[in-house]
Amino acid sequence: MNIFKFGGASVNSADGVRNFVKIVQSYREEMIIVLSAMGKTTNALEEIVDAFAAKKDGIESKVDALQTYHTKIINELFSKKDDAVFSKIESLFGQLRAYLQKSPSLSYEFDYDQIVCFGELISTTIVSEYLRLSGTPNKWVDIRTCLKTDDTYKEGRIDWELSQRLVPQAFGFTNTFVYVTQGFLGGTKTNQTTTLGREGSDYTAAILSYILDVDKLAIWKDVPGIMNADPKWLPDAQKLERISYQEAIELAFYGAKVIHPKTIQPIKKKKIPLQVRSFLSLNESGTLISTASKKQDQLIPVYIRKQDQVLISIRPSDFSFILEENLSSLFSIFAKHQVKVNLIQNSAISFSVCVDNSDRRLKNLIEEISTKFEVRYNENLELITIRHHNSEAVERMTNGREILLEQRSRDTAQFVLL
């Protein structure tokens, strides 16, 4: 059994969907397909969530634009206008519009999950129907019915015990060889929709791989494999042929966009190999993540860039020392507001962190910290991380740039740059 995860870029057009079907039909094994929302649909839905939460005008036009995008793809794929896919997609957009007619709840995160989930529900419906039309019978599964989480909206935590009981029932391979389901989504015990965090579709595929003991997990991207830098940023980026689970976890932790940070842990426990492949070039082998030792890792410099960063400097108002009780209080505030820290550095009387500029959460975080501490911050920064750094790599990243904060270890160097 194989699990294939496809990102939104792979099905962002009718031609993309056709190419996706070509890949699927080139395999004859039992298969579970985990799919993201099409193209930039999640971004568009996030804009709708923000407008909904702020009770702004113009929501209807945003939904219309999103429906037009998907309808164009359907029209190019399905020649018969009475095909079931048209009514199914119309129904999903009807459900979305009905939700948006309500008043926002008191939880932005709850509303976020109930709205953004339509991206994956729509994409999987279209793809499942087109696979059927193309001669590949398959079963569409609503992942929310079997992948169960707690009610931490936007960052659902997996209920492993319940999911391990329900997932094998949903994917039993009794009447079909191919399943199509959604990445990124989960459901609570009371059947409320949750999401697993941005880019959580990779994590979904890893969870299913772990529970179902699959032979191999493949994640299909628009790059040849895992590169030592984003080729859109550094055109001379090189592909890493093979890396260990440990190295993959490190790269994901520091923000490499190819893999979701939580993806590696489940498959590492059962030593399930992960192949990162390009849906644009089927002959390329991609990058294998497996039990390779550290000696087998390609120890060339790996460059990771995180943009739109905020450097926050915190110190007690009375200039007292930053002691354990201060740190405990600060970390509890960061956890409360779900703000992930990308870099930490502290001195006797100050504590500095670099974080993503997640507007809503960050504003509330700074307001709360400011009640007890003196806070300063800089916006519009970059955080550059270099794994396996050397002097040439550091010079390449920092030459001519103002370094606001620097941190180095044996394997990793990080720089917050203006």
Side-chain angles (χ1 to χ4, degrees):
M1 182 203 313
N2 287 321
I3 290 183
F4 284 176
K5 182 268 173 176
F6 288 86
S10 66
V11 289
N12 63 0
S13 65
D15 285 342
V17 175
R18 294 187 187 100
N19 184 63
F20 156 85
V21 169
K22 178 182 176 183
I23 294 172
V24 170
Q25 292 181 337
S26 69
Y27 290 83
R28 299 301 178 189
E29 303 99 315
E30 292 179 338
M31 183 187 306
I32 298 173
I33 298 163
V34 177
L35 192 65
S36 300
M38 290 178 156
K40 301 295 183 182
T41 295
T42 300
N43 292 341
L45 284 165
E46 286 181 334
E47 292 182 9
I48 290 170
V49 174
D50 290 341
F52 175 72
K55 299 181 180 180
K56 292 182 179 179
D57 296 329
I59 294 178
E60 190 66 26
S61 63
K62 293 179 184 292
V63 177
D64 287 344
L66 198 57
Q67 186 165 3
T68 297
Y69 166 70
H70 287 89
T71 301
K72 181 178 183 295
I73 293 175
I74 297 171
N75 284 333
E76 291 184 38
L77 295 174
F78 299 85
S79 57
K80 295 181 179 179
K81 302 311 174 188
D82 60 347
D83 196 291
V85 69
F86 289 94
S87 59
K88 289 181 178 182
I89 298 305
E90 185 66 39
S91 174
L92 286 168
F93 273 100
Q95 294 171 43
L96 173 58
R97 293 177 194 277
Y99 191 92
L100 295 170
Q101 291 299 313
K102 302 176 183 179
S103 297
S105 73
L106 296 179
S107 169
Y108 173 89
E109 287 75 17
F110 174 81
D111 287 331
Y112 178 97
D113 285 359
Q114 311 319 302
I115 293 170
V116 170
C117 68
F118 282 96
E120 278 69 20
L121 296 174
I122 291 166
S123 68
T124 51
T125 298
I126 295 172
V127 161
S128 175
E129 290 297 315
Y130 189 66
L131 273 171
R132 172 192 55 78
L133 183 68
S134 303
T136 301
N138 66 93
K139 184 176 180 180
W140 183 91
V141 173
D142 187 339
I143 197 69
R144 299 173 296 179
T145 64
C146 60
L147 190 59
K148 293 300 181 179
T149 74
D150 66 3
D151 59 358
T152 306
Y153 297 103
K154 284 195 78 178
E155 295 285 347
R157 299 186 181 96
I158 301 299
D159 182 333
W160 286 96
E161 182 180 353
L162 183 54
S163 297
Q164 285 177 307
R165 192 164 74 245
L166 296 176
V167 165
Q169 297 174 19
F171 300 96
F173 289 99
T174 52
N175 298 314
T176 185
F177 287 98
V178 178
Y179 287 90
V180 177
T181 195
Q182 307 79 35
F184 183 49
L185 308 185
T188 67
K189 290 180 179 178
T190 57
N191 295 325
Q192 299 293 338
T193 301
T194 54
T195 61
L196 307 182
R198 281 303 302 266
E199 310 300 331
S201 293
D202 290 359
Y203 187 38
T204 302
I207 295 166
L208 295 181
S209 299
Y210 175 88
I211 293 175
L212 296 171
D213 289 314
V214 304
D215 302 314
K216 182 181 289 186
L217 167 61
I219 295 179
W220 297 81
K221 302 280 188 178
D222 58 354
V223 291
I226 297 178
M227 312 292 286
N228 76 326
D230 182 347
K232 296 176 183 176
W233 170 42
L234 299 179
D236 61 346
Q238 303 174 53
K239 185 179 77 171
L240 305 176
E241 298 292 340
R242 179 176 180 176
I243 60 174
S244 63
Y245 292 120
Q246 178 181 336
E247 183 65 15
I249 289 171
E250 293 282 5
L251 295 180
F253 174 81
Y254 288 114
K257 294 180 180 179
V258 176
I259 320 165
H260 188 275
K262 295 179 286 189
T263 298
I264 304 301
Q265 289 288 2
I267 61 173
K268 180 180 182 294
K269 289 179 181 178
K270 291 191 175 181
K271 298 182 179 179
I272 298 169
L274 165 60
Q275 198 86 29
V276 179
R277 300 189 59 185
S278 171
F279 60 78
L280 299 174
S281 181
L282 305 189
N283 296 324
E284 293 271 350
S285 60
T287 299
L288 178 65
I289 301 173
S290 66
T291 54
S293 68
K294 189 172 182 179
K295 291 181 179 179
Q296 291 174 299
D297 285 333
Q298 288 178 254
L299 300 183
I300 62 174
V302 178
Y303 305 93
I304 302 166
R305 177 173 67 163
K306 293 178 73 72
Q307 297 176 289
D308 197 17
Q309 296 291 290
V310 179
L311 180 63
I312 307 173
S313 297
I314 304 162
R315 65 184 182 186
S317 301
D318 60 359
F319 286 91
S320 59
F321 292 123
I322 291 284
L323 301 174
E324 285 79 4
E325 56 265 29
N326 298 126
L327 294 175
S328 175
S329 172
L330 287 168
F331 279 120
S332 68
I333 296 173
F334 277 90
K336 173 184 174 182
H337 293 282
Q338 297 181 324
V339 174
K340 178 181 178 293
V341 176
N342 298 324
L343 184 150
I344 303 171
Q345 194 172 93
N346 68 286
S347 68
I349 61 170
S350 70
F351 176 74
S352 295
V353 294
C354 184
V355 301
D356 297 333
N357 187 8
S358 51
D359 297 330
R360 180 184 298 271
R361 295 178 182 179
L362 195 58
K363 178 176 179 292
N364 295 334
L365 170 85
I366 291 174
E367 286 179 357
E368 182 166 351
I369 293 177
S370 296
T371 62
K372 299 179 181 179
F373 299 89
E374 183 179 314
V375 179
R376 295 181 299 161
Y377 60 92
N378 300 82
E379 298 178 292
N380 301 315
L381 305 177
E382 283 188 354
L383 172 61
I384 302 294
T385 301
I386 310 174
R387 287 280 294 166
H388 316 301
H389 59 91
N390 55 37
S391 57
E392 182 182 347
V394 170
E395 174 68 15
R396 181 181 187 185
M397 290 294 104
T398 61
N399 185 36
R401 304 286 299 276
E402 181 179 350
I403 302 173
L404 299 185
L405 190 149
E406 174 180 344
Q407 195 168 92
R408 302 194 198 198
S409 67
R410 183 174 300 168
D411 294 319
T412 307
Q414 291 187 282
F415 305 91
V416 179
L417 304 173
L418 186 62

